[in-house]
PDB file of all heavy atoms in Angstrom:
ATOM      1  N   ALA C   1      -6.755   5.594   2.532  1.00 98.00           N
ATOM      2  CA  ALA C   1      -7.343   6.658   3.349  1.00 98.00           C
ATOM      3  C   ALA C   1      -6.270   7.439   4.081  1.00 98.00           C
ATOM      4  O   ALA C   1      -6.348   8.673   4.210  1.00 98.00           O
ATOM      5  CB  ALA C   1      -8.342   6.057   4.339  1.00 98.00           C
ATOM      6  N   ALA C   2      -5.251   6.726   4.582  1.00 98.00           N
ATOM      7  CA  ALA C   2      -4.154   7.399   5.274  1.00 98.00           C
ATOM      8  C   ALA C   2      -3.420   8.348   4.331  1.00 98.00           C
ATOM      9  O   ALA C   2      -3.080   9.480   4.705  1.00 98.00           O
ATOM     10  CB  ALA C   2      -3.192   6.362   5.849  1.00 98.00           C
ATOM     11  N   ILE C   3      -3.174   7.909   3.108  1.00 98.00           N
ATOM     12  CA  ILE C   3      -2.503   8.747   2.117  1.00 98.00           C
ATOM     13  C   ILE C   3      -3.336   9.978   1.817  1.00 98.00           C
ATOM     14  O   ILE C   3      -2.830  11.107   1.769  1.00 98.00           O
ATOM     15  CB  ILE C   3      -2.229   7.943   0.833  1.00 98.00           C
ATOM     16  CG1 ILE C   3      -1.205   6.838   1.106  1.00 98.00           C
ATOM     17  CG2 ILE C   3      -1.751   8.855  -0.288  1.00 98.00           C
ATOM     18  CD1 ILE C   3      -1.110   5.803   0.009  1.00 98.00           C
ATOM     19  N   GLU C   4      -4.623   9.786   1.638  1.00 97.00           N
ATOM     20  CA  GLU C   4      -5.509  10.908   1.324  1.00 97.00           C
ATOM     21  C   GLU C   4      -5.583  11.903   2.486  1.00 97.00           C
ATOM     22  O   GLU C   4      -5.836  13.096   2.276  1.00 97.00           O
ATOM     23  CB  GLU C   4      -6.900  10.383   0.971  1.00 97.00           C
ATOM     24  CG  GLU C   4      -6.904   9.635  -0.351  1.00 97.00           C
ATOM     25  CD  GLU C   4      -8.218   8.943  -0.661  1.00 97.00           C
ATOM     26  OE1 GLU C   4      -9.000   8.679   0.286  1.00 97.00           O
ATOM     27  OE2 GLU C   4      -8.468   8.659  -1.849  1.00 97.00           O
ATOM     28  N   ALA C   5      -5.344  11.407   3.715  1.00 97.00           N
ATOM     29  CA  ALA C   5      -5.349  12.288   4.888  1.00 97.00           C
ATOM     30  C   ALA C   5      -4.008  12.976   5.098  1.00 97.00           C
ATOM     31  O   ALA C   5      -3.900  13.839   5.971  1.00 97.00           O
ATOM     32  CB  ALA C   5      -5.730  11.489   6.123  1.00 97.00           C
ATOM     33  N   GLY C   6      -2.997  12.575   4.336  1.00 97.00           N
ATOM     34  CA  GLY C   6      -1.713  13.250   4.424  1.00 97.00           C
ATOM     35  C   GLY C   6      -0.555  12.418   4.894  1.00 97.00           C
ATOM     36  O   GLY C   6       0.573  12.929   5.027  1.00 97.00           O
ATOM     37  N   ALA C   7      -0.761  11.122   5.176  1.00 98.00           N
ATOM     38  CA  ALA C   7       0.362  10.262   5.552  1.00 98.00           C
ATOM     39  C   ALA C   7       1.331  10.158   4.383  1.00 98.00           C
ATOM     40  O   ALA C   7       0.925  10.025   3.229  1.00 98.00           O
ATOM     41  CB  ALA C   7      -0.136   8.878   5.950  1.00 98.00           C
ATOM     42  N   THR C   8       2.621  10.186   4.698  1.00 98.00           N
ATOM     43  CA  THR C   8       3.632  10.114   3.645  1.00 98.00           C
ATOM     44  C   THR C   8       4.505   8.865   3.749  1.00 98.00           C
ATOM     45  O   THR C   8       5.369   8.652   2.899  1.00 98.00           O
ATOM     46  CB  THR C   8       4.526  11.369   3.684  1.00 98.00           C
ATOM     47  OG1 THR C   8       4.954  11.602   5.035  1.00 98.00           O
ATOM     48  CG2 THR C   8       3.767  12.584   3.181  1.00 98.00           C
ATOM     49  N   TYR C   9       4.299   8.060   4.789  1.00 98.00           N
ATOM     50  CA  TYR C   9       5.001   6.790   4.951  1.00 98.00           C
ATOM     51  C   TYR C   9       3.958   5.690   5.118  1.00 98.00           C
ATOM     52  O   TYR C   9       3.080   5.788   5.985  1.00 98.00           O
ATOM     53  CB  TYR C   9       5.900   6.810   6.194  1.00 98.00           C
ATOM     54  CG  TYR C   9       7.146   7.643   6.061  1.00 98.00           C
ATOM     55  CD1 TYR C   9       7.077   9.031   6.101  1.00 98.00           C
ATOM     56  CD2 TYR C   9       8.394   7.043   5.911  1.00 98.00           C
ATOM     57  CE1 TYR C   9       8.220   9.809   5.986  1.00 98.00           C
ATOM     58  CE2 TYR C   9       9.540   7.812   5.798  1.00 98.00           C
ATOM     59  CZ  TYR C   9       9.452   9.188   5.829  1.00 98.00           C
ATOM     60  OH  TYR C   9      10.594   9.952   5.710  1.00 98.00           O
ATOM     61  N   ILE C  10       4.062   4.636   4.304  1.00 98.00           N
ATOM     62  CA  ILE C  10       3.115   3.532   4.369  1.00 98.00           C
ATOM     63  C   ILE C  10       3.896   2.221   4.373  1.00 98.00           C
ATOM     64  O   ILE C  10       4.774   2.000   3.534  1.00 98.00           O
ATOM     65  CB  ILE C  10       2.136   3.526   3.168  1.00 98.00           C
ATOM     66  CG1 ILE C  10       1.371   4.850   3.082  1.00 98.00           C
ATOM     67  CG2 ILE C  10       1.176   2.348   3.278  1.00 98.00           C
ATOM     68  CD1 ILE C  10       0.372   5.090   4.204  1.00 98.00           C
ATOM     69  N   ASP C  11       3.554   1.335   5.315  1.00 98.00           N
ATOM     70  CA  ASP C  11       4.168   0.004   5.375  1.00 98.00           C
ATOM     71  C   ASP C  11       3.383  -0.961   4.503  1.00 98.00           C
ATOM     72  O   ASP C  11       2.141  -0.974   4.527  1.00 98.00           O
ATOM     73  CB  ASP C  11       4.150  -0.536   6.806  1.00 98.00           C
ATOM     74  CG  ASP C  11       5.164   0.137   7.707  1.00 98.00           C
ATOM     75  OD1 ASP C  11       5.829   1.089   7.253  1.00 98.00           O
ATOM     76  OD2 ASP C  11       5.275  -0.275   8.879  1.00 98.00           O
ATOM     77  N   CYS C  12       4.109  -1.797   3.768  1.00 98.00           N
ATOM     78  CA  CYS C  12       3.501  -2.813   2.923  1.00 98.00           C
ATOM     79  C   CYS C  12       4.352  -4.078   2.960  1.00 98.00           C
ATOM     80  O   CYS C  12       5.524  -4.034   3.336  1.00 98.00           O
ATOM     81  CB  CYS C  12       3.405  -2.351   1.471  1.00 98.00           C
ATOM     82  SG  CYS C  12       2.352  -0.923   1.175  1.00 98.00           S
ATOM     83  N   CYS C  13       3.756  -5.186   2.538  1.00 98.00           N
ATOM     84  CA  CYS C  13       4.495  -6.428   2.341  1.00 98.00           C
ATOM     85  C   CYS C  13       4.138  -6.995   0.974  1.00 98.00           C
ATOM     86  O   CYS C  13       2.975  -6.928   0.552  1.00 98.00           O
ATOM     87  CB  CYS C  13       4.122  -7.467   3.410  1.00 98.00           C
ATOM     88  SG  CYS C  13       4.617  -7.053   5.082  1.00 98.00           S
ATOM     89  N   LEU C  14       5.105  -7.549   0.288  1.00 98.00           N
ATOM     90  CA  LEU C  14       4.808  -8.249  -0.960  1.00 98.00           C
ATOM     91  C   LEU C  14       3.801  -9.368  -0.684  1.00 98.00           C
ATOM     92  O   LEU C  14       3.934 -10.105   0.294  1.00 98.00           O
ATOM     93  CB  LEU C  14       6.081  -8.838  -1.556  1.00 98.00           C
ATOM     94  CG  LEU C  14       7.071  -7.814  -2.127  1.00 98.00           C
ATOM     95  CD1 LEU C  14       8.418  -8.491  -2.390  1.00 98.00           C
ATOM     96  CD2 LEU C  14       6.536  -7.177  -3.402  1.00 98.00           C
ATOM     97  N   LYS C  15       2.796  -9.458  -1.519  1.00 97.00           N
ATOM     98  CA  LYS C  15       1.723 -10.443  -1.382  1.00 97.00           C
ATOM     99  C   LYS C  15       1.010 -10.326  -0.028  1.00 97.00           C
ATOM    100  O   LYS C  15       0.335 -11.249   0.414  1.00 97.00           O
ATOM    101  CB  LYS C  15       2.234 -11.873  -1.584  1.00 97.00           C
ATOM    102  CG  LYS C  15       2.814 -12.120  -2.976  1.00 97.00           C
ATOM    103  CD  LYS C  15       3.150 -13.572  -3.212  1.00 97.00           C
ATOM    104  CE  LYS C  15       1.914 -14.391  -3.528  1.00 97.00           C
ATOM    105  NZ  LYS C  15       1.297 -13.999  -4.813  1.00 97.00           N
ATOM    106  N   GLY C  16       1.163  -9.178   0.652  1.00 96.00           N
ATOM    107  CA  GLY C  16       0.551  -9.004   1.960  1.00 96.00           C
ATOM    108  C   GLY C  16       1.122  -9.922   3.018  1.00 96.00           C
ATOM    109  O   GLY C  16       0.506 -10.145   4.061  1.00 96.00           O
ATOM    110  N   PHE C  17       2.340 -10.448   2.793  1.00 95.00           N
ATOM    111  CA  PHE C  17       2.888 -11.513   3.621  1.00 95.00           C
ATOM    112  C   PHE C  17       3.385 -10.969   4.949  1.00 95.00           C
ATOM    113  O   PHE C  17       4.509 -10.479   5.066  1.00 95.00           O
ATOM    114  CB  PHE C  17       4.019 -12.211   2.864  1.00 95.00           C
ATOM    115  CG  PHE C  17       4.488 -13.490   3.515  1.00 95.00           C
ATOM    116  CD1 PHE C  17       3.642 -14.566   3.649  1.00 95.00           C
ATOM    117  CD2 PHE C  17       5.780 -13.595   3.988  1.00 95.00           C
ATOM    118  CE1 PHE C  17       4.076 -15.746   4.245  1.00 95.00           C
ATOM    119  CE2 PHE C  17       6.227 -14.765   4.590  1.00 95.00           C
ATOM    120  CZ  PHE C  17       5.368 -15.837   4.714  1.00 95.00           C
ATOM    121  N   GLY C  18       2.515 -11.038   5.963  1.00 93.00           N
ATOM    122  CA  GLY C  18       2.863 -10.539   7.276  1.00 93.00           C
ATOM    123  C   GLY C  18       2.120 -11.302   8.353  1.00 93.00           C
ATOM    124  O   GLY C  18       1.458 -12.310   8.088  1.00 93.00           O
ATOM    125  N   ALA C  19       2.214 -10.816   9.575  1.00 90.00           N
ATOM    126  CA  ALA C  19       1.625 -11.509  10.722  1.00 90.00           C
ATOM    127  C   ALA C  19       0.104 -11.575  10.624  1.00 90.00           C
ATOM    128  O   ALA C  19      -0.537 -10.710  10.026  1.00 90.00           O
ATOM    129  CB  ALA C  19       2.019 -10.789  12.012  1.00 90.00           C
ATOM    130  N   GLY C  20      -0.457 -12.615  11.250  1.00 86.00           N
ATOM    131  CA  GLY C  20      -1.909 -12.748  11.317  1.00 86.00           C
ATOM    132  C   GLY C  20      -2.532 -12.858   9.945  1.00 86.00           C
ATOM    133  O   GLY C  20      -2.191 -13.736   9.141  1.00 86.00           O
ATOM    134  N   ALA C  21      -3.452 -11.938   9.653  1.00 90.00           N
ATOM    135  CA  ALA C  21      -4.121 -11.932   8.353  1.00 90.00           C
ATOM    136  C   ALA C  21      -3.326 -11.201   7.292  1.00 90.00           C
ATOM    137  O   ALA C  21      -3.790 -10.998   6.176  1.00 90.00           O
ATOM    138  CB  ALA C  21      -5.504 -11.297   8.486  1.00 90.00           C
ATOM    139  N   GLY C  22      -2.105 -10.809   7.640  1.00 93.00           N
ATOM    140  CA  GLY C  22      -1.250 -10.158   6.654  1.00 93.00           C
ATOM    141  C   GLY C  22      -1.378  -8.644   6.675  1.00 93.00           C
ATOM    142  O   GLY C  22      -2.176  -8.067   7.410  1.00 93.00           O
ATOM    143  N   ASN C  23      -0.556  -8.030   5.840  1.00 96.00           N
ATOM    144  CA  ASN C  23      -0.443  -6.568   5.772  1.00 96.00           C
ATOM    145  C   ASN C  23      -1.004  -6.050   4.461  1.00 96.00           C
ATOM    146  O   ASN C  23      -1.485  -6.812   3.624  1.00 96.00           O
ATOM    147  CB  ASN C  23       1.024  -6.161   5.895  1.00 96.00           C
ATOM    148  CG  ASN C  23       1.639  -6.552   7.210  1.00 96.00           C
ATOM    149  OD1 ASN C  23       1.572  -7.708   7.614  1.00 96.00           O
ATOM    150  ND2 ASN C  23       2.259  -5.605   7.883  1.00 96.00           N
ATOM    151  N   CYS C  24      -0.871  -4.759   4.275  1.00 97.00           N
ATOM    152  CA  CYS C  24      -1.254  -4.166   2.998  1.00 97.00           C
ATOM    153  C   CYS C  24      -0.331  -4.709   1.911  1.00 97.00           C
ATOM    154  O   CYS C  24       0.893  -4.573   2.008  1.00 97.00           O
ATOM    155  CB  CYS C  24      -1.122  -2.649   3.077  1.00 97.00           C
ATOM    156  SG  CYS C  24      -1.534  -1.817   1.526  1.00 97.00           S
ATOM    157  N   PRO C  25      -0.891  -5.330   0.860  1.00 97.00           N
ATOM    158  CA  PRO C  25      -0.046  -5.865  -0.212  1.00 97.00           C
ATOM    159  C   PRO C  25       0.624  -4.741  -1.001  1.00 97.00           C
ATOM    160  O   PRO C  25      -0.044  -3.833  -1.489  1.00 97.00           O
ATOM    161  CB  PRO C  25      -1.033  -6.647  -1.090  1.00 97.00           C
ATOM    162  CG  PRO C  25      -2.221  -6.904  -0.211  1.00 97.00           C
ATOM    163  CD  PRO C  25      -2.304  -5.704   0.688  1.00 97.00           C
ATOM    164  N   LEU C  26       1.930  -4.815  -1.115  1.00 98.00           N
ATOM    165  CA  LEU C  26       2.686  -3.759  -1.772  1.00 98.00           C
ATOM    166  C   LEU C  26       2.245  -3.566  -3.220  1.00 98.00           C
ATOM    167  O   LEU C  26       2.047  -2.436  -3.679  1.00 98.00           O
ATOM    168  CB  LEU C  26       4.180  -4.098  -1.714  1.00 98.00           C
ATOM    169  CG  LEU C  26       5.173  -3.002  -2.113  1.00 98.00           C
ATOM    170  CD1 LEU C  26       6.508  -3.256  -1.435  1.00 98.00           C
ATOM    171  CD2 LEU C  26       5.380  -2.913  -3.617  1.00 98.00           C
ATOM    172  N   GLU C  27       2.090  -4.673  -3.940  1.00 97.00           N
ATOM    173  CA  GLU C  27       1.730  -4.563  -5.357  1.00 97.00           C
ATOM    174  C   GLU C  27       0.379  -3.885  -5.536  1.00 97.00           C
ATOM    175  O   GLU C  27       0.174  -3.102  -6.469  1.00 97.00           O
ATOM    176  CB  GLU C  27       1.660  -5.945  -6.033  1.00 97.00           C
ATOM    177  CG  GLU C  27       2.732  -6.934  -5.654  1.00 97.00           C
ATOM    178  CD  GLU C  27       2.327  -7.763  -4.448  1.00 97.00           C
ATOM    179  OE1 GLU C  27       2.408  -7.241  -3.320  1.00 97.00           O
ATOM    180  OE2 GLU C  27       1.925  -8.918  -4.632  1.00 97.00           O
ATOM    181  N   ILE C  28      -0.556  -4.204  -4.637  1.00 97.00           N
ATOM    182  CA  ILE C  28      -1.894  -3.623  -4.741  1.00 97.00           C
ATOM    183  C   ILE C  28      -1.850  -2.133  -4.434  1.00 97.00           C
ATOM    184  O   ILE C  28      -2.448  -1.317  -5.149  1.00 97.00           O
ATOM    185  CB  ILE C  28      -2.880  -4.363  -3.815  1.00 97.00           C
ATOM    186  CG1 ILE C  28      -3.126  -5.771  -4.363  1.00 97.00           C
ATOM    187  CG2 ILE C  28      -4.186  -3.591  -3.668  1.00 97.00           C
ATOM    188  CD1 ILE C  28      -4.023  -6.623  -3.492  1.00 97.00           C
ATOM    189  N   LEU C  29      -1.128  -1.747  -3.375  1.00 98.00           N
ATOM    190  CA  LEU C  29      -1.074  -0.320  -3.058  1.00 98.00           C
ATOM    191  C   LEU C  29      -0.361   0.454  -4.158  1.00 98.00           C
ATOM    192  O   LEU C  29      -0.769   1.577  -4.501  1.00 98.00           O
ATOM    193  CB  LEU C  29      -0.380  -0.085  -1.722  1.00 98.00           C
ATOM    194  CG  LEU C  29      -0.466   1.380  -1.270  1.00 98.00           C
ATOM    195  CD1 LEU C  29      -1.895   1.742  -0.896  1.00 98.00           C
ATOM    196  CD2 LEU C  29       0.470   1.670  -0.119  1.00 98.00           C
ATOM    197  N   ALA C  30       0.699  -0.127  -4.736  1.00 98.00           N
ATOM    198  CA  ALA C  30       1.386   0.552  -5.832  1.00 98.00           C
ATOM    199  C   ALA C  30       0.441   0.786  -7.010  1.00 98.00           C
ATOM    200  O   ALA C  30       0.449   1.860  -7.624  1.00 98.00           O
ATOM    201  CB  ALA C  30       2.591  -0.269  -6.281  1.00 98.00           C
ATOM    202  N   ALA C  31      -0.388  -0.201  -7.305  1.00 98.00           N
ATOM    203  CA  ALA C  31      -1.358  -0.049  -8.399  1.00 98.00           C
ATOM    204  C   ALA C  31      -2.411   1.007  -8.060  1.00 98.00           C
ATOM    205  O   ALA C  31      -2.778   1.834  -8.908  1.00 98.00           O
ATOM    206  CB  ALA C  31      -2.032  -1.396  -8.675  1.00 98.00           C
ATOM    207  N   ILE C  32      -2.898   0.989  -6.819  1.00 97.00           N
ATOM    208  CA  ILE C  32      -3.884   1.985  -6.391  1.00 97.00           C
ATOM    209  C   ILE C  32      -3.296   3.388  -6.509  1.00 97.00           C
ATOM    210  O   ILE C  32      -3.955   4.315  -7.006  1.00 97.00           O
ATOM    211  CB  ILE C  32      -4.340   1.706  -4.948  1.00 97.00           C
ATOM    212  CG1 ILE C  32      -5.211   0.447  -4.895  1.00 97.00           C
ATOM    213  CG2 ILE C  32      -5.099   2.901  -4.364  1.00 97.00           C
ATOM    214  CD1 ILE C  32      -5.528  -0.023  -3.486  1.00 97.00           C
ATOM    215  N   CYS C  33      -2.062   3.541  -6.051  1.00 97.00           N
ATOM    216  CA  CYS C  33      -1.446   4.860  -6.091  1.00 97.00           C
ATOM    217  C   CYS C  33      -1.271   5.362  -7.519  1.00 97.00           C
ATOM    218  O   CYS C  33      -1.454   6.569  -7.789  1.00 97.00           O
ATOM    219  CB  CYS C  33      -0.110   4.833  -5.353  1.00 97.00           C
ATOM    220  SG  CYS C  33      -0.285   4.773  -3.553  1.00 97.00           S
ATOM    221  N   GLU C  34      -0.926   4.475  -8.427  1.00 96.00           N
ATOM    222  CA  GLU C  34      -0.850   4.898  -9.830  1.00 96.00           C
ATOM    223  C   GLU C  34      -2.202   5.375 -10.322  1.00 96.00           C
ATOM    224  O   GLU C  34      -2.303   6.357 -11.067  1.00 96.00           O
ATOM    225  CB  GLU C  34      -0.330   3.746 -10.699  1.00 96.00           C
ATOM    226  CG  GLU C  34       1.160   3.507 -10.559  1.00 96.00           C
ATOM    227  CD  GLU C  34       1.740   2.711 -11.723  1.00 96.00           C
ATOM    228  OE1 GLU C  34       1.068   2.632 -12.785  1.00 96.00           O
ATOM    229  OE2 GLU C  34       2.846   2.172 -11.570  1.00 96.00           O
ATOM    230  N   ARG C  35      -3.266   4.691  -9.911  1.00 96.00           N
ATOM    231  CA  ARG C  35      -4.622   5.053 -10.331  1.00 96.00           C
ATOM    232  C   ARG C  35      -5.036   6.424  -9.804  1.00 96.00           C
ATOM    233  O   ARG C  35      -5.757   7.162 -10.482  1.00 96.00           O
ATOM    234  CB  ARG C  35      -5.623   3.999  -9.846  1.00 96.00           C
ATOM    235  CG  ARG C  35      -5.523   2.639 -10.536  1.00 96.00           C
ATOM    236  CD  ARG C  35      -6.249   2.644 -11.882  1.00 96.00           C
ATOM    237  NE  ARG C  35      -7.628   3.085 -11.757  1.00 96.00           N
ATOM    238  CZ  ARG C  35      -8.657   2.291 -11.395  1.00 96.00           C
ATOM    239  NH1 ARG C  35      -8.443   1.017 -11.110  1.00 96.00           N
ATOM    240  NH2 ARG C  35      -9.884   2.779 -11.331  1.00 96.00           N
ATOM    241  N   ILE C  36      -4.597   6.778  -8.578  1.00 95.00           N
ATOM    242  CA  ILE C  36      -5.059   8.029  -7.970  1.00 95.00           C
ATOM    243  C   ILE C  36      -4.027   9.145  -8.070  1.00 95.00           C
ATOM    244  O   ILE C  36      -4.210  10.220  -7.510  1.00 95.00           O
ATOM    245  CB  ILE C  36      -5.470   7.815  -6.499  1.00 95.00           C
ATOM    246  CG1 ILE C  36      -4.283   7.398  -5.627  1.00 95.00           C
ATOM    247  CG2 ILE C  36      -6.602   6.800  -6.400  1.00 95.00           C
ATOM    248  CD1 ILE C  36      -4.604   7.298  -4.138  1.00 95.00           C
ATOM    249  N   GLY C  37      -2.954   8.894  -8.812  1.00 95.00           N
ATOM    250  CA  GLY C  37      -1.987   9.945  -9.063  1.00 95.00           C
ATOM    251  C   GLY C  37      -1.039  10.233  -7.924  1.00 95.00           C
ATOM    252  O   GLY C  37      -0.617  11.378  -7.724  1.00 95.00           O
ATOM    253  N   VAL C  38      -0.675   9.202  -7.161  1.00 97.00           N
ATOM    254  CA  VAL C  38       0.277   9.348  -6.066  1.00 97.00           C
ATOM    255  C   VAL C  38       1.564   8.623  -6.452  1.00 97.00           C
ATOM    256  O   VAL C  38       1.526   7.445  -6.812  1.00 97.00           O
ATOM    257  CB  VAL C  38      -0.287   8.787  -4.745  1.00 97.00           C
ATOM    258  CG1 VAL C  38       0.779   8.761  -3.661  1.00 97.00           C
ATOM    259  CG2 VAL C  38      -1.481   9.612  -4.291  1.00 97.00           C
TER     260      VAL C  38
END
């Protein structure tokens, strides 16, 4: 949603490995971006 709104910097972690419940998984976002042409 942030990308679609115009954000150009996104934080991710491999396997979502971050504090608490984790972060946006890098591999998943990379796959999503390929799907939506980003």
Side-chain angles (χ1 to χ4, degrees):
I3 293 167
E4 291 173 338
T8 48
Y9 287 75
I10 303 291
D11 286 5
C12 296
C13 293
L14 289 167
K15 298 187 78 66
F17 191 63
N23 297 53
C24 179
L26 191 155
E27 319 89 282
I28 290 177
L29 187 69
I32 289 171
C33 286
E34 285 199 17
R35 291 279 306 277
I36 64 175
V38 172

